[in-house]
């Protein structure tokens, strides 16, 4: 929280300047107020990992300059594009990120595609250290026949669609079928289920995109099955999200009592968090909910997808074939084993929510394809001095924002340690953003600065206001750029 | 429900509603906080501070580095308010700004003090369940309001590890990812 004091002081200084000189100080990487001979660090990725890493670096040393590069014109990554629209309080972290973005020693450069517009090697030449915080933009595939059929989506894309990720704006999911099947039982799966079944009243004032809201208002989806390979004691979602499903208006829980055999007996030995979660599930099994409810949802355990089934014309998904499993072992390390039995479920919407996945950004950066992360020791990229990583690209795509926060703080501390131990040669002056901005210019690439994102932000809020919503996100990158640079 | 608890409840609900209409363009140098006097400016507090000296409470925190740090507050303020208003250097404390959407304000109480605190709501328990190093005397600081009889209490700031959702059982490498 000392950070707040620091930034308060710096922001006051900036307010003292005229707006013209303030703009000059912000643009082109010229730093009007801080020393030009301090360490310069570059962060690749403008999501929570990037901002939290920047925050810690700025706090730890009074002369470090931090530049954040982000592919989209808009910052905040999954906080903007992943967190569900009906979870606005989770997005409060944007306030602290905004402070960081406005900090005099930090500059944000949106609309820069690292790996394409500029290479990692070029960044390493311009900065004393580079931190990779670019997250996981791909998704794990189920690897089953029919996965490519219309009607099958990754949760990443479905969530991106209702959250306004530009690359998902043409998703047009067909919501005219009664049953949807979600593979995976983590919090993302529950978010998708909840958004599919929530009354439109609950969503219409949020920042969900208008086209998603309209599609959901006309949705015929009435039943959502959330399928997992293992049993109730291995479920990956957490209790807050489960409680939201149980409390969803006009829906009832539709579970299979057979899936819960032996669970009641196991309760007493469970640690409190797992126990409470399981008890809530058992309650949902027992009580079910209002029989008059129009919609229903349920978990289906011990089932793995083996094939997406197409209708007679073979043109789209009309069902999914599931293999029934049995559990070997218990607890977290229990494994699903095939039994040979199969089960077909009719459905028109299939959403695979089995994990995001990082991809390599640049051939110069080591990448572990098996774990889909950048190999590292405590955030120091293997065999590559001056290169670090934080967030999902470092540890894999799991965990909440606070997880990433702690992880990013860890990486920042390691980087600072290396600075102080002389492992990074700070005696050499590095040009930082000035050099990169000039280089990008020769390639016809222009960055969106934080103050320019704030114009996009204001425009989205204004559009939202006229629709009675928190904001109406711009879906088109060109529109974003037009407003940013106007 | 005590007046303080009611205040926390009402402010929590208000922040949740307000957050739905969040206007980021209004972000100032001072981050918005869900609870406490921080949002209402320092002027009024200074005045009431001198008028109500007997309602001042001192709280000690045993930080992760082993050092003890102290904060002063008024009765009715939450422990999150104490940390924020005193600018206490606790890394990452209060990420969701007191809206029960994280567990970063997790604090561990002495048993005798813990017993004096009110009941824990399901909502708080749900988030507390995700905290690393959960103990029998753990609470979320944003939900605990100060009273005179809590004056001088010592709270431990638990360690954090990067994965807040690690089960107490060892995770195997074949376990599915938890998100």
């Amino acid at each position: 929280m000392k950070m707040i004091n620091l930034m308060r002081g710096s922001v006051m200084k900036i307010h003292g300047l005229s707006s013209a000189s303030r703009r000059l100080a912000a643009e082109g990487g010229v730093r009007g107020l801080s020393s030009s001979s301090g360490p310069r660090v570059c962060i690749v990725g403008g999501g929570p990992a990037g901002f939290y890493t920047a925050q810690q670096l700025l706090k730890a040393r009074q002369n470090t300059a931090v530049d954040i590069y982000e592919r989209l014109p808009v910052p905040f990554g999954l906080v903007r594009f992943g967190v569900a629209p009906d979870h606005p309080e989770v997005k409060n972290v944007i306030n602290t990120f905004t402070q960081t973005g406005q900090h005099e020693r930090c500059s944000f450069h949106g609309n820069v595609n690292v790996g394409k517009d500029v290479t990692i090697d070029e960044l390493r030449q311009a900065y004393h250290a580079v931190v990779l915080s670019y997250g996981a933009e791909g998704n794990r595939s189920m690897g089953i026949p029919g996965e490519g059929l219309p009607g099958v989506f990754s949760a990443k894309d479905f969530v991106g669609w209702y959250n306004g990720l530009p690359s998902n704006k043409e998703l047009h999911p067909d919501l005219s079928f009664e049953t949807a099947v979600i593979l995976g039982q983590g919090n993302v799966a529950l978010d998708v289920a909840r958004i599919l079944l929530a009354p439109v009243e609950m969503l219409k004032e949020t920042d969900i995109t208008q086209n998603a809201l309209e599609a959901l208002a006309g949705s015929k989806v009435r039943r959502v099955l959330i399928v997992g390979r293992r049993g109730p004691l291995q479920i990956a979602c957490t209790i807050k999200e489960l409680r939201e499903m149980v409390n969803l208006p006009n829906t009832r829980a539709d579970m299979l009592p057979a899936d819960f055999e032996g669970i009641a007996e196991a309760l007493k030995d469970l640690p409190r968090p797992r126990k409470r979660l399981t008890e809530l599930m058992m309650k949902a099994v027992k009580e079910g909910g209002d029989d008059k409810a129009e919609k229903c949802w349920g978990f289906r355990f011990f089932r793995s997808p083996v094939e997406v089934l197409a209708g007679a014309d073979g043109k789209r998904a009309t069902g999914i074939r599931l293999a029934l499993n049995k559990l070997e072992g218990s607890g977290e390390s229990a494994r699903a084993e095939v039994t040979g039995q199969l089960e077909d479920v009719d459905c028109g919407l299939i959403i695979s929510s089995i994990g995001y996945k990082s991809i390599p950004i640049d051939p110069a950066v080591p990448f572990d394809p098996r774990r889909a992360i950048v190999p590292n020791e405590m955030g120091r990229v293997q065999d590559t001095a001056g290169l670090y990583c934080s967030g999902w690209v470092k540890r894999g795509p799991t965990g909440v924002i606070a997880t990433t926060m702690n992880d990013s703080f860890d990486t920042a501390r390691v980087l600072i340690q290396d600075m102080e131990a002389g492992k990074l040669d700070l005696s050499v002056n590095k040009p930082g953003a000035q050099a990169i901005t000039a280089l990008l210019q020769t390639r016809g690439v222009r960055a969106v600065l934080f103050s320019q994102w704030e114009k996009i932000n204001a425009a989205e809020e204004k559009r939202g206001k006229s629709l009675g919503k928190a904001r109406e996100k711009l879906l088109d990158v060109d529109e974003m750029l037009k407003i940013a640079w106007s | 429900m005590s007046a303080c608890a009611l205040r926390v409840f009402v402010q929590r609900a208000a922040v949740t509603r307000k957050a739905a209409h969040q206007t980021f363009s209004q972000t100032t140098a001072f981050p918005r906080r869900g609870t406490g006097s921080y949002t209402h400016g320092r002027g009024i507090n200074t005045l009431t501070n001198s008028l109500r000296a007997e309602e001042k409470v001192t709280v000690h925190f045993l930080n992760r580095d082993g050092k003890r740090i102290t904060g002063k507050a008024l009765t009715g303020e939450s422990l999150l308010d104490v940390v924020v208003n005193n600018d206490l250097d606790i890394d990452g404390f209060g990420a969701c700004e007191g809206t029960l959407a994280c567990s970063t304000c997790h604090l561990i109480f002495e048993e005798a003090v813990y017993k004096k605190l009110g009941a824990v709501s399901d909502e708080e328990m749900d988030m507390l369940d995700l905290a690393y190093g959960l103990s029998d005397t753990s609470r979320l600081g944003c939900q605990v309001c100060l009273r005179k009889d809590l004056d001088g209490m010592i709270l431990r700031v638990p360690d954090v590890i990067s994965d807040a959702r690690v089960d107490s059982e060892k995770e195997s490498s074949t376990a599915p990812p938890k998100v």
Side-chain angles (χ1 to χ4, degrees):
Chain A
M1 292 304 149
K2 267 214 172 72
M3 184 57 167
I4 310 294
N5 254 343
L6 232 75
M7 292 194 274
R8 211 186 287 158
S10 333
V11 170
M12 292 307 178
K13 271 193 245 167
I14 290 185
H15 284 163
L17 301 176
S18 70
S19 64
S21 48
R22 191 178 358 142
R23 203 165 50 247
L24 245 181
E27 296 224 27
V30 174
R31 291 178 200 293
L33 298 167
S34 55
S35 153
S36 55
S37 59
R40 293 190 185 277
V41 180
C42 162
I43 296 182
V44 178
F51 274 89
Y52 276 126
T53 307
Q55 205 176 81
Q56 195 71 355
L57 290 171
L58 290 165
K59 170 182 165 178
R61 285 176 69 129
Q62 296 318 304
N63 64 346
T64 307
V66 180
D67 297 334
I68 302 174
Y69 291 86
E70 160 60 44
R71 183 175 55 201
L72 285 171
V74 298
F76 311 140
L78 283 178
V79 176
R80 176 180 164 100
F81 295 116
V83 175
D86 60 338
H87 286 168
E89 59 284 342
V90 175
K91 304 190 200 194
N92 280 350
V93 294
I94 288 181
N95 296 336
T96 192
F97 296 163
T98 297
Q99 300 248 318
T100 301
Q102 292 171 341
H103 192 287
E104 61 161 348
R105 284 186 284 120
C106 180
S107 69
F108 172 81
H109 303 258
N111 193 45
V112 178
N113 188 336
V114 174
K116 179 170 156 284
D117 298 335
V118 59
T119 67
I120 293 290
D121 278 340
E122 285 165 341
L123 290 174
R124 289 176 70 213
Q125 280 168 46
Y127 290 91
H128 293 103
V130 174
V131 184
L132 303 172
S133 311
Y134 64 83
E137 70 188 65
N139 62 272
R140 278 176 80 192
S141 73
M142 292 187 281
I144 61 176
E147 188 164 8
L149 283 169
V152 184
F153 302 98
S154 68
K156 177 185 80 69
D157 285 342
F158 194 79
V159 170
W161 169 72
Y162 63 65
N163 274 337
L165 187 62
S167 52
N168 293 135
K169 69 179 188 284
E170 305 295 341
L171 205 74
H172 302 301
D174 184 343
L175 304 178
S176 63
F177 298 85
E178 188 190 299
T179 301
V181 169
I182 302 173
L183 289 319
Q185 297 173 328
N187 284 337
V188 177
L190 263 64
D191 276 357
V192 170
R194 191 177 72 251
I195 296 296
L196 278 172
L197 294 178
V200 168
E201 293 70 54
M202 262 174 64
L203 299 175
K204 70 180 203 288
E205 291 180 3
T206 69
D207 63 6
I208 194 169
T209 61
Q210 193 63 19
N211 57 345
L213 189 62
E214 285 165 9
L216 289 165
S219 165
K220 300 280 189 295
V221 176
R222 295 286 175 269
R223 183 168 168 250
V224 177
L225 299 177
I226 307 168
V227 179
R229 294 177 301 138
R230 301 187 297 170
L233 295 179
Q234 287 76 38
I235 203 170
C237 66
T238 52
I239 193 169
K240 175 170 181 265
E241 286 73 12
L242 176 60
R243 209 182 282 285
E244 286 171 330
M245 289 308 296
V246 169
N247 293 339
L248 209 50
N250 199 20
T251 63
R252 60 180 173 82
D254 161 21
M255 312 274 205
L256 299 178
D259 280 352
F260 291 85
E261 266 167 39
I263 299 298
E265 292 72 28
L267 275 176
K268 60 180 175 4
D269 297 319
L270 298 173
R272 189 182 90 182
R274 178 60 71 181
K275 182 160 181 255
R276 288 181 77 238
L277 175 64
T278 312
E279 280 172 344
L280 183 58
M281 250 195 291
M282 304 285 295
K283 185 159 173 270
V285 177
K286 206 167 89 167
E287 293 174 12
D290 183 7
D291 280 332
K292 295 191 297 295
E294 274 179 18
K295 308 183 199 176
C296 69
W297 65 279
F299 294 125
R300 293 291 180 271
F301 294 100
F302 311 108
R303 286 155 169 86
S304 297
V306 293
E307 188 179 345
V308 174
L309 307 170
D313 61 6
K315 286 213 176 115
R316 70 152 358 259
T318 56
I320 189 161
R321 179 159 289 162
L322 304 171
L324 270 52
N325 302 323
K326 63 177 193 296
L327 221 53
E328 288 299 317
S330 66
E332 282 311 300
S333 54
R335 284 184 336 275
E337 305 260 324
V338 291
T339 60
Q341 283 181 282
L342 297 172
E343 181 182 280
D344 288 354
V345 178
D346 290 335
C347 56
L349 181 63
I350 294 169
I351 297 182
S352 131
S353 182
I354 59 174
Y356 287 57
K357 195 161 94 170
S358 294
I359 61 175
I361 193 172
D362 187 305
V365 177
F367 193 79
D368 177 345
R370 191 183 63 85
R371 293 179 64 196
I373 58 167
V374 171
N376 68 92
E377 282 275 341
M378 305 209 306
R380 295 181 178 99
V381 175
Q382 218 170 64
D383 304 326
T384 323
L387 192 60
Y388 300 80
C389 52
S390 68
W392 281 7
V393 79
K394 167 187 171 191
R395 296 181 56 257
T398 63
V400 292
I401 296 173
T403 317
T404 290
M405 177 183 78
N406 289 320
D407 176 81
S408 301
F409 287 174
D410 284 346
T411 291
R413 280 187 207 113
V414 158
L415 204 166
I416 303 280
Q417 249 175 54
D418 287 356
M419 279 188 192
E420 288 168 0
K423 290 206 192 138
L424 295 170
D425 186 3
L426 302 180
S427 64
V428 180
N429 254 358
K430 292 282 191 176
Q434 266 184 313
I436 299 299
T437 301
L439 187 57
L440 289 171
Q441 230 163 36
T442 68
R443 296 171 182 170
V445 177
R446 181 181 169 187
V448 170
L449 301 174
F450 202 79
S451 56
Q452 293 166 334
W453 138 248
E454 287 175 322
K455 288 199 237 171
I456 298 173
N457 185 38
E460 289 184 341
E461 287 174 343
K462 188 159 170 239
R463 281 158 41 112
K465 213 168 180 182
S466 63
L467 294 163
K469 295 162 76 178
R471 74 174 52 236
E472 185 56 42
K473 290 177 187 165
L474 289 165
L475 302 183
D476 190 81
V477 168
D478 288 328
E479 263 191 80
M480 291 177 182
L481 294 176
K482 188 151 163 264
I483 290 174
W485 296 330
S486 62
Chain B
M1 197 188 267
S2 78
C4 157
L6 180 63
R7 190 181 123 266
V8 167
F9 178 85
V10 166
Q11 282 177 324
R12 198 172 71 221
V15 168
T16 308
R17 280 196 304 278
K18 190 166 66 167
H21 302 275
Q22 234 166 4
T23 48
F24 297 128
S25 61
Q26 285 163 25
T27 305
T28 61
F30 300 84
R32 214 167 323 133
R33 295 291 159 185
T35 62
S37 48
Y38 198 53
T39 47
H40 303 305
R42 304 293 237 158
I44 293 174
N45 271 346
T46 317
L47 177 66
T48 53
N49 273 355
S50 54
L51 291 179
R52 303 191 312 197
E54 73 276 6
E55 288 186 337
K56 271 204 167 127
V57 174
T58 302
V59 181
H60 305 285
F61 298 84
L62 195 54
N63 211 348
R64 293 178 191 129
D65 57 6
K67 297 202 179 105
R68 182 193 282 215
I69 51 183
T70 298
K72 291 195 191 297
L74 294 179
T75 54
E77 292 180 339
S78 75
L79 288 170
L80 175 58
D81 294 331
V82 178
V83 173
V84 168
N85 292 349
N86 288 271
D87 269 328
L88 299 180
D89 190 10
I90 303 176
D91 265 342
F93 200 84
C96 76
E97 303 184 1
T99 55
L100 282 182
C102 76
S103 56
T104 61
C105 66
H106 174 209
L107 292 166
I108 298 179
F109 290 72
E110 297 166 300
E111 194 163 339
V113 177
Y114 179 81
K115 290 196 169 118
K116 290 200 271 186
L117 304 174
V120 187
S121 68
D122 269 345
E123 261 194 299
E124 178 184 345
M125 194 83 84
D126 285 355
M127 296 318 294
L128 199 48
D129 274 356
L130 308 180
Y132 182 73
L134 183 64
S135 73
D136 291 334
T137 57
S138 285
R139 289 294 301 268
L140 294 182
C142 68
Q143 300 302 301
V144 175
C145 293
L146 287 169
R147 302 186 314 242
K148 203 58 202 160
D149 65 335
L150 299 175
D151 190 12
M153 67 176 163
I154 305 172
L155 306 166
R156 186 158 70 81
V157 181
D159 282 329
V160 289
I161 61 156
S162 299
D163 188 358
R165 299 199 180 192
V166 170
D167 221 297
S168 60
E169 305 157 45
K170 193 172 181 320
E171 241 186 16
S172 92
S173 57
T174 56
K178 288 197 258 213
V179 180

